[in-house]
Amino acid sequence: MRIRVIAGLISLTLCGAAGAAGTFTSLNLPNSQLVTLSEHGRVAGGSYMGGGAWRWTAARGAQDFDGYSGMNGMNSWGQPQAGQHEDANGVLVAALAYSNSNLVEPTLLGGLPGGVALDGTLSSAYDVADDGTAVGLAFTADNAVAFRWQGPTGMVELPRIDTDGASRANAISRDGKVIVGWNDTAEGFRRAVKWVDGNITEFLDADGLQVGEALATNRDGSVVVGEGAGKMGDEAWRWTAATGVQAIGIIGSGSFFDRAYAFGVSDDGNLIGGASGFGFDRKAVVWTPAGGMQLLTDFLAARNIAVPDGWTLNSVTAVSGDGKVLGGWGFDATNQFNSFIVELDRVPAQRAVVEAKGTVVWNDLTAGPFAGLPLETPVTMSFKTNPEGIEIDPGSFVRYPIDVATFKLEAGNGSDTLVETQAGPLLGIANDYPLSDGIHIFESPLATAGTSMEFELFNPGGNLFDSTDINNVNRTMGPELFEKVGWSVFQGQGGQFSMSMMLESVTIEDECAIFCGRFED
């Protein structure tokens, strides 16, 4: 009996030099504040001033999350996003949203053992790592404290230096190893701290003085940024193990209360976004090693990126990991709160490189290059795709033509390739379609007469991709991410004979092996 299973995946690449000048996009969300971006800036998330949460993609625009009071962070692919959602009793608790669709129930994280709700809130998730570890703030009978949540162990309180003071975890590195936030001092001031392997330490400047909140970290926790540094304690700061805490400046509005904040940082640590000033007079700023702190408006003008007339840019609240996209909020031409996204440069669409590796787990083929191959024989499939896809459902399912000349299916001493047909061959990428992510090469003829190949992936959690853009999936994936994994060569009418492979890994990488066109200075 032939069983159609779904399999395993891809490696894709984008390459290329920097393209056209970047763009400024208004999200057209009145009373919104963008707070988080995915790795490549394809997904944005945030909250409304009066409560509520939303997710934005270019293909779908903004979509509200039912039942959420706010959204604070996301993993590399925007799935999940971390925030607050009402539980069955109407109490707000930390929650994760794993899909674009409200048909998928939120994952409610609850509270700490013995936790007590304050003003209708028991806990709130502020960020989530790529392994699903969530962090944030939860209320106990005595205080507000930082927590870490993991599926197998649930929610646990993170240690505090001052056990009488409040604490909060603001962010977690994408690899889940470093958590940053704050813990009150005995005097009631917030001091920056980090947790590594469950141990807490504080950030100190070169004079051994405490600094204010740690607000964000890069992918591996090697760069941390925050606020409350400098002699007056009013500058934003940047930390690495090599440099320690360094104040990175302030641009004042003329008020005694001026303060600078660093809210987001790229993975290489060379682009920081934030705000400087006081109240609604504060301005959006960026920092780079070469340019130091500067107004976002000046930074964009130097790159010929036009800001629409009437806009006042108040804050950069998120920086994509690849350093190509900024997100923030300000006042638009109607003088309403609104959110924006700035794409700093455009990389032309490039072909994607797809590679999958596995081993033979079944083989009764009687003819062709793979006949007689023993079990556990290594198998590799690789090919490139055309960057211009065919939209089946915009933003949800796109099919990309496979370059047959680059296709190789190799096992043992045998190899085969796909052949051209009127309809393909095609590689399909699904993003939340309707609820899941996937990769699909439906049954396609091989060069060996009477044989065909099928190769698919199915991920019901919808947490593999942040879009159907084939140039924006850069990761290595194993079979544990897929509900169903399969990969087969069929021979004869109805697939009478077959060879099946077990997927070991799929790598998705840029063809030029770097972030091509990446902002460097």
Side-chain angles (χ1 to χ4, degrees), residues 129-145:
D130 291 346
D131 66 1
T133 301
V135 297
L137 175 145
F139 291 99
T140 68
D142 301 317
N143 223 325
V145 297

Side-chain angles (χ1 to χ4, degrees), residues 363-378:
N363 187 10
D364 64 358
L365 295 175
T366 60
F370 306 125
L373 285 179
L375 303 186
E376 299 186 2
T377 299

Side-chain angles (χ1 to χ4, degrees), residues 156-186:
V156 297
E157 180 181 344
L158 290 168
R160 288 172 282 169
I161 296 173
D162 185 333
T163 56
D164 292 327
S167 64
R168 185 174 72 200
N170 288 328
I172 184 170
S173 58
R174 299 305 92 197
D175 63 10
K177 295 180 179 179
V178 178
I179 302 168
V180 300
W182 56 266
N183 179 195
D184 281 346
T185 65

Side-chain angles (χ1 to χ4, degrees), residues 117 159 169 231 233 245 275-276 335 369:
K231 291 183 179 180
V245 171
S276 187
N335 203 36

Side-chain angles (χ1 to χ4, degrees), residues 275-289:
S276 187
F278 175 68
F280 292 133
D281 287 332
R282 72 181 187 180
K283 300 293 190 293
V285 297
V286 296
W287 178 93
T288 66

